[in-house]
C-alpha cells in the first residue's frame, strides 16, 4: 500500500504545478493590468511564486519519496536518529536568507504604493456608503469640498497616463476601495481620510469592487472605473457639470421632455461593456 | 535523572476514587478529565456538521447564484422561489467561520484532546482543579445557547463577518444580523472566553505542577508542548478579546462609542484588539495539531522525532512572534503603512520556525519504517497541506503582494489549508490514533482510509482552486460576483469547487458512521495497540477514573522508537532501563 | 467506561516545577490574565484619549480629586487590613483574622458607596453613556442647536413648570428656532439658564468637548473595576463564616492577592482618570 | 428526479458542465434526503395588507372567505398570469417578450440570454409579488417600494402621475442614494428594459387586484373577461398611459435664476416662512422639525397596536424621517431639475406636498394675490437654490454633521489605533 499512498501524496505537487500552468494558459490568471505600478506587484507575486513553488516541490517530493522508500512493509527497521543539528541550522539559514530577501526585495514597492504620497491636489474624493460609491470631483474652481463640486455615483472617471490622487472616505461602515486591474486596494474607514494614488496606462472600463464586508448588499456595491483620454475626461466633467446644473428649461417643447435625460456617455459605456 | 522521591507537595487530589457515582455525576457533570474531554469532543463534532452544512450552503450560492437551493431552499425561502437572500448569505459566511473557529477547532484541540491527553501523557491522575475543569466545559453551553438562539431572533444571526468589524457590527441598522443576533454573538464570545481561560489556567497549572516523577519539561511529548504553549497564548491573548468584546457590547447596548468615529471613537481600535487575540488564536488552532502530528508521525514511522529540541524551540518561537504580528491582517485597513513594514518583517520571520517544523517532520519520515494507518495518513496529509498553507502565507505577509490578494479567495484558500488541511486533518489523525484509548475499541481502518482518500482529494479540489481565483482578484464574502465583469470568467471554477465541497461534506458522513459504528462494533483494543512510547498507552484502555494502576515514572523522552538499546522497536517512557522491553508495559 | 477499576487507582506522586501550592500558582496565572484584560482597557483609554481632538478637564465633568483620593486611601487601607487578617490567620487567631477581614469588607463597601455617589453626581449632570439620556454635545454646532430645540420643546410642553422659568425657556426656544442663531451663544445662554434652580432638572444639553468619549471610557474603566471590587466583596462574604485558622491561611492569602490586584488597578486608574 | 430539470433550477454559462454537475449534486441530495420533492413555483401573494381576515357579518360569514379570495386570485391570474408564466392583454401595451425575460426562476435560455432577471436582482427586497416585502425588506429603512398601489415617489410627472419609463430607468441607473436601492447601471440595456417593463407589469397587476377586491367582496359579481377588461384593466392602464404623456411631465416655466445669491436668500425666506418647510425639515434644514411623519404605506398602521400590525401587515410600522438637507444626499436625484420636480409635484405617497398646481391649473404668477397655495416657478427655483446651498452654507458652527470638506491632510493616513 505504501506505493499507492506515496502516489496519492505525489499527486499534490504534480497536480499543484499542473493547475498553475493550466490556469495561466486558460486565462485564469491576474486581471489585466492597466496601471503603472501593477506590473511591479505582479512581478513580486511571481518572484514569491517561483521561490515558494521550488520549496513546495522539493518538500512535497521528499515527502512522497520517503513514503515510497520507507514503506514499513518492506523496510526492516527504522534508522535510529534523534536529529542533526547541522542540517537543521543549515536549512534554517537558507530559509532565513530567502525570507530576508523577500522582505527586503519588496520594501521599495510598498513605499511606492502606500507611503510616498505624490504631491498633488486630490483629483477626486471617493465616498463609500452602503451600498454605492459616490465620486466627488472639484468643480470649475478646482477646489474639492465646496459648493460647486460635481457628484458622480458609481462611475469613477480618470484621465489616462496621469498621476491620480484619490481621497478616500466612508460615510457609514468599513468599505474597501478595490481596483483589481490597477492593483489598488484600500479600506475606507469612517472618520478617516485616506489618500490612494495610481496612474492608469490604458483606456477602458474596469471594475470598482468593494472588498470589505459592508452589510447585506456588499455583493452589489459595484462601481466602474472609466479610464479615458484627457479630452474625454474634460468632456466628462463638462457634461457632469451641465447635467448637475440641468434645469430642464430648454426642454420646453413637451415632445422633447422624455428624451435624452440619460447621459450619452453612460449609454455608450453600457454598450461597450456589453460588447466585451 | 533520578526519580524524585519526595512526597507529592500538591494539595490532596480530588476524591478520585469516587467510583460509585450516579449517571449524572459520571457522564454529565463529571469532573473526570477524560469524560470532559469526550464531552468536548462530541459537542464539537455536532457543531462540525452544523458549520459544514453552512459552508455547503455558501458554496451552493457561489456556484449557482440566486438559484433555488435543494431541499432547504424550499423550506426557508419558499415565498421567494427558494433562492437564498443576500443577508442570509452574509449570515452563513459569518456563522460558518464563527462556529468552525470558536466551536470546533479551538475546543476540539484544546478542549477535547487537551483534556483527554494532558493528565494521561504527563502521568497525572486528573487535572489540578477537576471541578474548575468541569466548569470550563459547562461555560461553553451558554455560548452554544447564545449562538443557537441567535439563528432564531429577529434579523437572524450575526452577519458582520466572524471578525465582527465595527461600525458594521455596532450600528443596529447597518446589517440585519446587527440586531440581537450580533449581541448574542458577542455574549457567546465572552462565554467562550471564560471557558477557555478557565481551561487554559488549569492546563498550565497541571503541566507545571503535576508531571510524573522523571517527566522533565524536555521529556514531554510534543502534544503536551503544543497544548502548553497554546494555553499560554490563550491565557494572555484571550482577555484582550474579552475586553474588546465587552466594549463592543457596551457600544451596542449602553451607547458608548469606542468604535464609532462620530462619537470620537476609532473603528480601527477593534481591529487592533481583535487581531491581538485572533492572530495568536491562529496558533491556538494549529500548535496542538502540530504537537499531535509530531507524536503520530514519530510513532508510525517507528523513528525518533527528528530534532526534538528545535521542534520545541520552534513552537515557542511561533508563539512568541505570534504576539507581535497581528498587524498583518490590517495592511489595507488604513493603519499607518510604515507600521505595516514592521509587521511584515515580524510576520515573514514566523515562516522560519514553521519551516523548521516541516523539515523535521520530513526528517522523521526519512529512514523510518512507515506504517500506513488511517492516523498516519491523516498526519501526513497535515504535513503536506501545511506546506501549502504555510507557503501561501508568505504571499500575504509580503505587504506589496497583499494589496492584490487581501480579502480575496487567495486568503480563503490559505486559511482553509491551515485550518482544514492542517488542524482538521490533525483532528482526524488524533481521533484514529487515540480512539482505542478513549473507548477501548479500534476504529475501522478500511473506512478510515476511504474517508481519508476522499477527503484529501475533495479538499484539494475545493481549496487549491481558491488560490487561482484569488489571484484573479475574486473578492471574498461576496454573495455573487455577478455585478463584476472581471470575475464572470471564474464561474466554471466556482462550480467545480462547489462539487468538490459537496463531495467533501458528504464524505464526512463516512467519518461519523465509522466513529459511531466503531464505538459499538469496533474490535476491542488492548493497552498499547500502536506500540507507542508515551505514558497514556501504559494505562488501561479506556483508563479508569484516576487513570493509572501504578505510579508512572518517566525514564526517557517520548520518542525512543527503534532504539538500539532494546530489541523491540519501541521503548516506553516508563520502562525501567534494566527491564527487558516490550512485555513490561503492553499487556 | 469501566468505573470499578478506579478503586485500584493509587495516590500518585508528582514533580512540581515551582515550589508553591497549585492554588496559588493558578491565582497568579489568573491575575496575569486580569493584567492583560485591564491592559487592553487602559490601552484603549490611552489611545482614545490621545487620539481625541479635545478632552474635558476634571472640573468640566464634575470629577472631584479629593473624593478620588479618599477612595484611593480607603482601598490602600483595605489592602493593609487584609494583610493583617492573613497574619492573624497564620498566627492561628481566627477571631482577629475575621475582624480584620470584616474591616476590609467594610472598606471595600465604602469604596463602592463613594463610587456610587460619584456616579450619581455624573448622572445628575447629564453625563450618561446612554444615548437616550445623555445631554452632552461635543461642540456648539447645529446639531447642538437641534438637540437644544428638542429639549426646550419638551420643557415648554410641560404645563406644571414654574411660570417664570417657562417664560425663559420659551424665549430661549424662540431664539433657538432662529436659523441665524449662533450655536455658541445659544450654548452659553442655555448653560446660564440651567443654573436657574427651577430649570436645573430640565436637563438642557451642555457642551463638553470630548465629553462622549470621556463618559464612555470613565464608566467602562471604573465600572469594570467596581465589578472586580464587588466580586472581591462577594468572596469575603463567602470566606467570613469559615474558621480562619492556619489551615485557611492559604485561602486567605489567595483572596488577599486578588484584593491587592484590585487595589493596584485602582492605583493606575486614579491618576489616569483624575489627575492627568 | 424527473420533475426537476436542472436548467430550470440553475443558471449557467457552460451548459454541459453545469448540467452534468447539477445532475450529480441533485442525485446526491436526493439520495441523501431519500425523497423526491415537486417543484412548486412561488405564486403571486394575494394583497391582504391591512385586511382583518376575521371580519364577519352579523350571520357570522367571513367577509374575506377563502372562496372569495380564491376568486380574486383566479381573476388576477386570468389577467396577468403567474410569476413563472406572465401574461398580459394587448391593452396594457406591455411587451410580453420583455416580461418573459424578467420573470421566472433564475436561468438562461439556449442562447445564454439570462432569464428571471427580476428574481435575480429585485426579489430579495421587492418580493416576487412586488409587494416590497422580500426577505431583506424587514431590515431596510425605508422599506423597499411596494409596487402594487402604483405609487412611485420620484417621478417627473405631475401630482398623482405615474412614472414614465425614463423615470424608472433613471431610478435604476442612478439608484436611490441614501437608501438600499443600488444603481443597476452595469446591467445591459435590454435587461434594464425588461425590468422596467416588469415593474410596470407588477404595478398594474397590483392595482388591478385592488380593483377586483370590491367587485368580488362587495358586489359579489360573477366575473368574466369583459367585466375584468372594462372595470379593472381599462381604468388601471388608462391612468398609466394618460398620466405619462409628455405634457404631464413637469417642465419649469422659466430658467433657473442666474442671480444665485438673491435666489438663495428668497428661497430661505420661503423655507422659513410661507411654505412651512421648516415644520418638518427644521429651521436649519437638519430634518429635526416637530412633526412625526408616515408615508402612505405606513400611516394606515398608525392606530393599531403591534400585534394587529403584525397580524395584518407584512411589515411593522416605520416612521418617515424628513430629509436632513445638510447631508447633500438627494434621493430623487441631485439635478436642480430633479429637486424642482420634487418641490413642484411633491414626493408621491409621503407628506411632502406639491408646491406647484395640479395638471391643467395655472401656476401662480406674481400678479396673483398673496395667500394662494401654489408657488410660482420662480419661487420653486428659489427653494431649489436654497436647498442646494444648504450642505455648503456658510454658518458659524457647522461641523460634525457635515461631510468632511477640508482637503486631505498631507502625510500618512495613520494615527488611528496606534
Amino acid at each position: 500500500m505504501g506505493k499507492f499512498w506515496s502516489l496519492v501524496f505525489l499527486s499534490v505537487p504534480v497536480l499543484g504545478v499542473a493547475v498553475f500552468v493550466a490556469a495561466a494558459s486558460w486565462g485564469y490568471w491576474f486581471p489585466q493590468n492597466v496601471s503603472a505600478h501593477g506590473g511591479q506587484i505582479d512581478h513580486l507575486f511571481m518572484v514569491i511564486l517561483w521561490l515558494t513553488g521550488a520549496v513546495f516541490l522539493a518538500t512535497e517530493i521528499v515527502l512522497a519519496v520517503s513514503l515510497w522508500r520507507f514503506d514499513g512493509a518492506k523496510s526492516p527497521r527504522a534508522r535510529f536518529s534523534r536529529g542533526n543539528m547541522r542540517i537543521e541550522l543549515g536549512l534554517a539559514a537558507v530559509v532565513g536568507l530567502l525570507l530576508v530577501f523577500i522582505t527586503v526585495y519588496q520594501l521599495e514597492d510598498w513605499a511606492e504604493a502606500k507611503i510616498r504620497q505624490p504631491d498633488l491636489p486630490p483629483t477626486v474624493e471617493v465616498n463609500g456608503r452602503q451600498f454605492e460609491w459616490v465620486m466627488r470631483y472639484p468643480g470649475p474652481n478646482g477646489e474639492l469640498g465646496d459648493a460647486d463640486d460635481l457628484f458622480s455615483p458609481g462611475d469613477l472617471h480618470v484621465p489616462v497616463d496621469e498621476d491620480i490622487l484619490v481621497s478616500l472616505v466612508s460615510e457609514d461602515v468599513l468599505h474597501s476601495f478595490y481596483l483589481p486591474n490597477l492593483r489598488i486596494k484600500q479600506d475606507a474607514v469612517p472618520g478617516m481620510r485616506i489618500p490612494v494614488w495610481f496612474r492608469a496606462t490604458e483606456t477602458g472600463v474596469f471594475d470598482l469592487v468593494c472588498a470589505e464586508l459592508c452589510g447585506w448588499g456588499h455583493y452589489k456595491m459595484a462601481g466602474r472605473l472609466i479610464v479615458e483620454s484627457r479630452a474625454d475626461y474634460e468632456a466628462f466633467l463638462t457634461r457632469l457639470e451641465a447635467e448637475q446644473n440641468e434645469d430642464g428649461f430648454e426642454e420646453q417643447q413637451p415632445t422633447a421632455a422624455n428624451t435624452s435625460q440619460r447621459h450619452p456617455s453612460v449609454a455608450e459605456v453600457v454598450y461597450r461593456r456589453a460588447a466585451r | 535523572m533520578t526519580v524524585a522521591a519526595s512526597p507529592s507537595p500538591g494539595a490532596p487530589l480530588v476524591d478520585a476514587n469516587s467510583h460509585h457515582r450516579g449517571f449524572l455525576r459520571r457522564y454529565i457533570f463529571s469532573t473526570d478529565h477524560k469524560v470532559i474531554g469526550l464531552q468536548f469532543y462530541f459537542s464539537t463534532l455536532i457543531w462540525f456538521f452544523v458549520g459544514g452544512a453552512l459552508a455547503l450552503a455558501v458554496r451552493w450560492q457561489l456556484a449557482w447564484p440566486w438559484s433555488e437551493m435543494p431541499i432547504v431552499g424550499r423550506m426557508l425561502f419558499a415565498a421567494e422561489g427558494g433562492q437564498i437572500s443576500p443577508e442570509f448569505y452574509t449570515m452563513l459566511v459569518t456563522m460558518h467561520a464563527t462556529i468552525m473557529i470558536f466551536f470546533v477547532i479551538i475546543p476540539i484541540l484544546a478542549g477535547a484532546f487537551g483534556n483527554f491527553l494532558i493528565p494521561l501523557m504527563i502521568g497525572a491522575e486528573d487535572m489540578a482543579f477537576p471541578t474548575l475543569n468541569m466548569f470550563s466545559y459547562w461555560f461553553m453551553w451558554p455560548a452554544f445557547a447564545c449562538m443557537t438562539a441567535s439563528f432564531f431572533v429577529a434579523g437572524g444571526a450575526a452577519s458582520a463577518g466572524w471578525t465582527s468589524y465595527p461600525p458594521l457590527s455596532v450600528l443596529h441598522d447597518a446589517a440585519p444580523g446587527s440586531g440581537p443576533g450580533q449581541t448574542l454573538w458577542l455574549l457567546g464570545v465572552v462565554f467562550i472566553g471564560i471557558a477557555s481561560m478557565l481551561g487554559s489556567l488549569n492546563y498550565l497549572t497541571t503541566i507545571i505542577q503535576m508531571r510524573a516523577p522523571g517527566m522533565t519539561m524536555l521529556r514531554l511529548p510534543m502534544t503536551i508542548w503544543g497544548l502548553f504553549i497554546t494555553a499560554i497564548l490563550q491565557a494572555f491573548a484571550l482577555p484582550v478579546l474579552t475586553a474588546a468584546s465587552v466594549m463592543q457590547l457596551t457600544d451596542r447596548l449602553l451607547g458608548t462609542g469606542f468604535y464609532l468615529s462620530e462619537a470620537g471613537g476609532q473603528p480601527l481600535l477593534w481591529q487592533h484588539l481583535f487581531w491581538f487575540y485572533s492572530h495568536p488564536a491562529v496558533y491556538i488552532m494549529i500548535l496542538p495539531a502540530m504537537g499531535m502530528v509530531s507524536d503520530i508521525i514519530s510513532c508510525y514511522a517507528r523513528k525518533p522525532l527528528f530534532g526534538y529540541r528545535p521542534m520545541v524551540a520552534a513552537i515557542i518561537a511561533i508563539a512568541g512572534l505570534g504576539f507581535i504580528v497581528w498587524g498583518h491582517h490590517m495592511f489595507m485597513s488604513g493603519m499607518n503603512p510604515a507600521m505595516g513594514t514592521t509587521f511584515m518583517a515580524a510576520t515573514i520571520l514566523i515562516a522560519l520556525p514553521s519551516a523548521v517544523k516541516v523539515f523535521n517532520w520530513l526528517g522523521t519520515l526519512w529512514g523510518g519504517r512507515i506504517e500506513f494507518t488511517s492516523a498516519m495518513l491523516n498526519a501526513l496529509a497535515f504535513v503536506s497541506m501545511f506546506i501549502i498553507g504555510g507557503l501561501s502565507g508568505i504571499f500575504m505577509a509580503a505587504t506589496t503582494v497583499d494589496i492584490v490578494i487581501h480579502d480575496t479567495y487567495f486568503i480563503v484558500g490559505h486559511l482553509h489549508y491551515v485550518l482544514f488541511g492542517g488542524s482538521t486533518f490533525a483532528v482526524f489523525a488524533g481521533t484514529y490514533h487515540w480512539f482505542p484509548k478513549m473507548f477501548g475499541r479500534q476504529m475501522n481502518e478500511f473506512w478510515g482510509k476511504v474517508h481519508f482518500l476522499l477527503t484529501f482529494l475533495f479538499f484539494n479540489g475545493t481549496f487549491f482552486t481558491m488560490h487561482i481565483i484569488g489571484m484573479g482578484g475574486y473578492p471574498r464574502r461576496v454573495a455573487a460576483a455577478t455585478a463584476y465583469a472581471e470575475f464572470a470568467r471564474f464561474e466554471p471554477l466556482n462550480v467545480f469547487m462547489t462539487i468538490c465541497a459537496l463531495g467533501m461534506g458528504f464524505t464526512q458522513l463516512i467519518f461519523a458512521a465509522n466513529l459511531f459504528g466503531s464505538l459499538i462494533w469496533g474490535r476491542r483494543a488492548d493497552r498499547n495497540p500502536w506500540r507507542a512510547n508515551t505514558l497514556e498507552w501504559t494505562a488501561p484502555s479506556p483508563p479508569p477514573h484516576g487513570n493509572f494502576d501504578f505510579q508512572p515514572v518517566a525514564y526517557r523522552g517520548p520518542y525512543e522508537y527503534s532504539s538500539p538499546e532494546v530489541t523491540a522497536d519501541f521503548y516506553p517512557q516508563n520502562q525501567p532501563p534494566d527491564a527487558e522491553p516490550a512485555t513490561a508495559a503492553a499487556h | 467506561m469501566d468505573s470499578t477499576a478506579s478503586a485500584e487507582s493509587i495516590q500518585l506522586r508528582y514533580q512540581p516545577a515551582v515550589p508553591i501550592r497549585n492554588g496559588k500558582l493558578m491565582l497568579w496565572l489568573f491575575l496575569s490574565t486580569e493584567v492583560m484584560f485591564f491592559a487592553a482597557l487602559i490601552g484603549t483609554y490611552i489611545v482614545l484619549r490621545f487620539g481625541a481632538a479635545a478632552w474635558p478637564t476634571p472640573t468640566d465633568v464634575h470629577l472631584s480629586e479629593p473624593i478620588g483620593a479618599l477612595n484611593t486611601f480607603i482601598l490602600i487601607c483595605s489592602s493593609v487590613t487584609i494583610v493583617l487578617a492573613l497574619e492573624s490567620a497564620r498566627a492561628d487567631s481566627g477571631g482577629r483574622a475575621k475582624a480584620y477581614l470584616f474591616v476590609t469588607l467594610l472598606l471595600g463597601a465604602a469604596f463602592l458607596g463613594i463610587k456610587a455617589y460619584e456616579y450619581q453626581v455624573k448622572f445628575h449632570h447629564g453625563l450618561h453613556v446612554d444615548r437616550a439620556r445623555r445631554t452632552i454635545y461635543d461642540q456648539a454646532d447645529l446639531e447642538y442647536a437641534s438637540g437644544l430645540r428638542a429639549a426646550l420643546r419638551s420643557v415648554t410642553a410641560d404645563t406644571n413648570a414654574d411660570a417664570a422659568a417657562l417664560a425663559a425657556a420659551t424665549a430661549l426656544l424662540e431664539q433657538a428656532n432662529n436659523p441665524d442663531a449662533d450655536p455658541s451663544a445659544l450654548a452659553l445662554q442655555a448653560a446660564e439658564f440651567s443654573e436657574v434652580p427651577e430649570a436645573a432638572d430640565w436637563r438642557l444639553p451642555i457642551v463638553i468637548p470630548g465629553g462622549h468619549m470621556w463618559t464612555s471610557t470613565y464608566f467602562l474603566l471604573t465600572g469594570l473595576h467596581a465589578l472586580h471590587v464587588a466580586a472581591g466583596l462577594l468572596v469575603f462574604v463567602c470566606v467570613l463564616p469559615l474558621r480562619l485558622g492556619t489551615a485557611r491561611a492559604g485561602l486567605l492569602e489567595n483572596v488577599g492577592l486578588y484584593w491587592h490586584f484590585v487595589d493596584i488597578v485602582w492605583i493606575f486608574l486614579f491618576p489616569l482618570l483624575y489627575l492627568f | 428526479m424527473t420533475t426537476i430539470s436542472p436548467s430550470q433550477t440553475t443558471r449557467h454559462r457552460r451548459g454541459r458542465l453545469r448540467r452534468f454537475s447539477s445532475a450529480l449534486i441533485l442525485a446526491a441530495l436526493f439520495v441523501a434526503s431519500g425523497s423526491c420533492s415537486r417543484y412548486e413555483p412561488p405564486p403571486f401573494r394575494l394583497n391582504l395588507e391591512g385586511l382583518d381576515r376575521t371580519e364577519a357579518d352579523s350571520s357570522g360569514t367571513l367577509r374575506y372567505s377563502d372562496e372569495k379570495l380564491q376568486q380574486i386570485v383566479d381573476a388576477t391570474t386570468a389577467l396577468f398570469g403567474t410569476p413563472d408564466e406572465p401574461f398580459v392583454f394587448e391593452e396594457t401595451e406591455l411587451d410580453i417578450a420583455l416580461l418573459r425575460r424578467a420573470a421566472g426562476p433564475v436561468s438562461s435560455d439556449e442562447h445564454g440570454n439570462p432569464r428571471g432577471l427580476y428574481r435575480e436582482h429585485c426579489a430579495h427586497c421587492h418580493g416576487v409579488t412586488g409587494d416590497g416585502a422580500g426577505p431583506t425588506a424587514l431590515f431596510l429603512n425605508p422599506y423597499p417600494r411596494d409596487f402594487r398601489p402604483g405609487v412611485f415617489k420620484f417621478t417627473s410627472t405631475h401630482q398623482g402621475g405615474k412614472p414614465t419609463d425614463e423615470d424608472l430607468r433613471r431610478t435604476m441607473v442612478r439608484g436611490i442614494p441614501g437608501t438600499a436601492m443600488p444603481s443597476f447601471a452595469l446591467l445591459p440595456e435590454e435587461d434594464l428594459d425588461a425590468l422596467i417593463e416588469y415593474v410596470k407589469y407588477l404595478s398594474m397587476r397590483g392595482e388591478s387586484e385592488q380593483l377586483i377586491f370590491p367587485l368580488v367582496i362587495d358586489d359579489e359579481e360573477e366575473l368574466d373577461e369583459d367585466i375584468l377588461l372594462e372595470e379593472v384593466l381599462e381604468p388601471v392602464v388608462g391612468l398609466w398611459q394618460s398620466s405619462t404623456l409628455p405634457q404631464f411631465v413637469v417642465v419649469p416655466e422659466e430658467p433657473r435664476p442666474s442671480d444665485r445669491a438673491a435666489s438663495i436668500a428668497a428661497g430661505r425666506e420661503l423655507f422659513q416662512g410661507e411654505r412651512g418647510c421648516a415644520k418638518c425639515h427644521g429651521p436649519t434644514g437638519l430634518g429635526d422639525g416637530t412633526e412625526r411623519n408616515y408615508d402612505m404605506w405606513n400611516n394606515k398602521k398608525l392606530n393599531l397596536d403591534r400585534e394587529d400590525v403584525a397580524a395584518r401587515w407584512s411589515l411593522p410600522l416605520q416612521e418617515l424621517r424628513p430629509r436632513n438637507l445638510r447631508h447633500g444626499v438627494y434621493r430623487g436625484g441631485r439635478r436642480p431639475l430633479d429637486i424642482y420636480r420634487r418641490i413642484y409635484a411633491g414626493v408621491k405617497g409621503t407628506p411632502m406636498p406639491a408646491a406647484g398646481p395640479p395638471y391643467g391649473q395655472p401656476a401662480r404668477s406674481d400678479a396673483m394675490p398673496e395667500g394662494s397655495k401654489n408657488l410660482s416657478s420662480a419661487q420653486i427655483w428659489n427653494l431649489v437654490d436654497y436647498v442646494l446651498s444648504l450642505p455648503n452654507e456658510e454658518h458659524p458652527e457647522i461641523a460634525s454633521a457635515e461631510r468632511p470638506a477640508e482637503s486631505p491632510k498631507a502625510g500618512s493616513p495613520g494615527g488611528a489605533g496606534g
Side-chain angles (χ1 to χ4, degrees), chain D residues 67-89:
Chain D
E67 301 85 68
K68 286 191 169 175
L69 294 182
Q70 189 56 46
Q71 278 181 39
I72 298 172
V73 171
D74 293 343
T76 325
T77 311
L79 283 178
F80 288 97
T82 64
D84 282 3
E85 294 289 335
F87 164 82
V88 279
F89 281 91

Side-chain angles (χ1 to χ4, degrees), chain B residues 23 29 31 33 79 96 110 120 146 345 361 461:
Chain B
F23 175 82
F29 296 106
T31 56
H33 71 99
H96 162 66
L120 279 168
C146 284
W361 288 319

Side-chain angles (χ1 to χ4, degrees), chain C residues 140-141 143 146 149 153 180 184, chain D residues 268 283-284 288 290 397 400-401:
Chain C
D141 57 7
E143 294 289 339
S146 164
R149 277 197 294 277
R153 270 203 298 271
D180 294 321
S184 317
Chain D
R268 193 159 190 271
T284 45
D288 63 341
T290 50
E397 305 286 344
S400 58

Side-chain angles (χ1 to χ4, degrees), chain A residues 126-134 169-173 175 188 210 214 221, chain D residues 176-180 327-331 403:
Chain A
V126 174
N127 183 8
R129 43 180 290 137
Q130 285 179 326
F131 300 99
E132 64 180 349
W133 298 100
V134 179
V169 294
S170 163
E171 204 154 286
D172 35 37
V173 301
H175 301 282
C210 177
C214 58
M221 190 166 161
Chain D
I176 303 182
T179 75
H327 272 168
V329 175
Y330 304 99
R331 292 188 174 170
R403 293 153 44 75

Side-chain angles (χ1 to χ4, degrees), chain A residues 27-29 60 70 72 75-80 82 88 106 110 130 178 181 185-187 207 211 218 273, chain B residues 174 302 307 332 337 344 360 367-370 372 384 400 403-404 406-407 473 477 485-486 489 560-561 563 567:
Chain A
Y28 295 132
W29 207 243
E60 296 280 4
F70 305 107
S75 14
R77 188 179 170 103
R79 195 187 316 148
F80 184 80
R82 288 201 181 87
E88 200 106 44
Q106 50 106 48
W110 176 247
Q130 285 179 326
Y178 175 28
N181 303 86
K185 192 177 285 139
Q186 175 61 56
D187 284 9
D207 280 313
H218 171 52
R273 184 173 199 87
Chain B
R302 316 306 299 166
M332 301 303 132
M344 169 189 64
N360 284 353
R369 214 180 126 267
I370 296 167
F372 291 96
S384 177
T400 322
I403 295 173
V404 291
H406 180 81
D407 268 336
R477 289 169 169 176
E486 185 64 51
R489 60 193 167 123
E560 301 295 295
Y561 292 101
S563 165
T567 49

Side-chain angles (χ1 to χ4, degrees), chain A residues 1-6 8-9 11-12 15-17 19-20 23 27-32 41-42 44-46 48-49 52-53 55-56 58-60 62-63 65-73 75-85 87-88 91-93 95-96 99-100 102-104 106-107 109-111 113-115 130-131 172-174 176 178 180-181 183-192 194 206-223 273 276, chain B residues 66 86-87 90 94 159-161 165-168 171 173-176 261 267-268 271 301-308 310 331-334 337-338 340-341 344-345 348-349 351-352 355-356 358-360 362 365-372 377 380-381 383-385 387-388 391 394-395 398-408 410 449 452-453 456 460 464 467-468 471-480 483-487 489-490 492-493 560-564 566-569:
Chain A
M1 281 306 270
K3 291 203 167 79
F4 172 72
W5 293 117
S6 166
V8 168
F9 281 94
S11 72
V12 172
L15 290 178
V17 171
V19 163
F20 269 89
Y28 295 132
W29 207 243
F30 301 123
Q32 178 203 359
I41 294 181
D42 292 352
L44 267 172
F45 190 100
M46 291 312 292
I48 299 180
L49 186 63
T52 53
V55 177
F56 166 68
T59 44
E60 296 280 4
V62 167
L63 178 70
V65 168
S66 319
L67 299 189
W68 184 282
R69 268 189 62 185
F70 305 107
D71 182 358
S75 14
R77 188 179 170 103
R79 195 187 316 148
F80 184 80
S81 144
R82 288 201 181 87
N84 184 328
M85 216 46 168
I87 297 179
E88 200 106 44
L91 281 172
V95 172
L99 293 175
V100 169
I102 291 175
T103 311
V104 175
Q106 50 106 48
L107 278 179
D109 294 312
W110 176 247
K114 294 271 177 186
I115 298 178
Q130 285 179 326
F131 300 99
D172 35 37
V173 301
L174 297 178
S176 192
Y178 175 28
N181 303 86
R183 313 293 187 259
I184 284 287
K185 192 177 285 139
Q186 175 61 56
D187 284 9
V189 184
M192 288 171 80
I194 302 174
F206 307 99
D207 280 313
L208 161 54
V209 184
C210 177
E212 183 73 70
L213 182 64
C214 58
W216 67 272
H218 171 52
Y219 73 101
K220 62 183 177 188
M221 190 166 161
R273 184 173 199 87
R276 259 176 70 182
Chain B
W66 316 124
E87 71 278 358
T90 52
T94 305
S159 57
Y165 278 179
L168 183 61
L171 300 173
D173 48 0
S261 59
L268 289 193
Q271 296 188 27
R302 316 306 299 166
K303 189 164 167 290
L305 188 66
F306 191 88
Y308 175 83
F331 287 152
M332 301 303 132
S333 71
T341 314
M344 169 189 64
I348 288 196
L349 213 57
L352 189 56
V356 167
V358 169
F359 291 141
N360 284 353
L362 295 178
L365 290 171
W366 195 264
R369 214 180 126 267
I370 296 167
E371 295 170 2
F372 291 96
L377 289 170
L380 291 170
V383 176
S384 177
M385 299 297 98
I387 290 170
I388 299 178
L391 290 173
I394 293 177
F395 289 84
T399 44
T400 322
V401 174
D402 190 51
I403 295 173
V404 291
I405 54 175
H406 180 81
D407 268 336
T408 66
F410 199 88
K449 283 173 184 165
F452 164 74
L453 186 64
F456 190 70
N460 280 299
F464 201 85
H467 293 113
I468 302 295
M471 279 172 67
Y474 200 95
R476 67 192 286 205
R477 289 169 169 176
V478 162
Y484 304 110
E486 185 64 51
F487 306 125
R489 60 193 167 123
F490 295 117
L493 291 186
E560 301 295 295
Y561 292 101
S562 308
S563 165
V566 285
T567 49
D569 66 351

Side-chain angles (χ1 to χ4, degrees), chain C residues 47 51 138-150 153 176-185, chain D residues 268 272 282-284 286 288-290 324 326-327 386 393 395-402 415-418:
Chain C
V47 165
D138 269 357
Q139 44 197 320
D141 57 7
L142 286 176
E143 294 289 339
Y144 167 78
S146 164
L148 184 66
R149 277 197 294 277
R153 270 203 298 271
N177 272 332
N178 175 8
D180 294 321
D182 178 3
S184 317
Chain D
R268 193 159 190 271
Q272 311 296 350
T284 45
L286 286 169
D288 63 341
T290 50
N324 178 344
R326 288 181 184 268
H327 272 168
Y386 177 61
E393 193 190 39
H395 197 282
E397 305 286 344
I398 298 172
S400 58
E402 270 58 55

